[in-house]
Amino acid sequence: MLIAQFYTILSKEATDQMALTVNVELNPHHGVYQGHFPANPVLPGVCTLQIIKECLEELMGSTLQYAQVNSCKYLSVVNPFITPKLQLNLTAQVLEDNQIQLLTDGKTGETDFIKLKATLIRK
């Protein structure tokens, strides 16, 4: 985990070899939120991307890095005190050049908060 004690994995379920559903809980008392933003904490977008990458690394069994973010839509704000639990649905496909195409959608309860399409490579 890049950011120690930032989140906890509550559960993970591989729906097939290349798909994973992960439920995480954010730590609303983490220092990241003191700067983003003190009176109204918001999950930083870059931290969301890091959580997704770390979950994909576990599925793929290797260290990865983003090569390209094809599209990333933040659909709603995540306040870790109000909605600390996130569900991430990841679907990966290994391409011919050993790149990994990733599709992810994330929810807080019934509310979509992110849709991501990205390409990652093994380090």
Side-chain angles (χ1 to χ4, degrees), residues 13-121:
E13 178 184 351
T15 52
D16 67 34
Q17 267 190 321
M18 299 303 286
L20 182 68
T21 297
V22 182
N23 291 290
V24 302
E25 184 168 12
L26 302 171
N27 173 4
H29 302 290
H30 195 277
V32 165
Y33 300 113
Q34 292 174 4
H36 201 268
F37 300 97
N40 186 23
V42 174
L43 174 63
V46 68
C47 292
T48 305
L49 294 177
Q50 182 66 26
I51 293 169
I52 291 168
K53 183 182 81 75
E54 289 175 3
C55 292
L56 182 61
E57 287 174 334
E58 190 161 324
L59 177 67
M60 302 303 295
S62 61
T63 304
L64 304 170
Q65 71 180 39
Y66 285 101
Q68 181 175 1
V69 175
N70 306 84
S71 66
C72 183
K73 296 180 183 178
Y74 295 98
L75 304 169
S76 64
V77 172
V78 176
N79 179 320
F81 285 98
I82 297 170
T83 53
K85 295 183 180 177
L86 312 176
Q87 179 181 354
L88 299 168
N89 301 302
L90 293 81
T91 304
Q93 178 183 1
V94 178
L95 304 175
E96 291 178 12
D97 54 1
N98 209 27
Q99 292 185 345
I100 299 159
Q101 183 71 50
L102 173 66
L103 297 174
T104 302
D105 66 79
K107 294 180 177 284
T108 57
E110 295 299 314
T111 304
D112 292 330
F113 76 92
I114 189 169
K115 292 207 179 286
L116 170 69
K117 182 177 180 182
T119 305
L120 294 94
I121 56 173

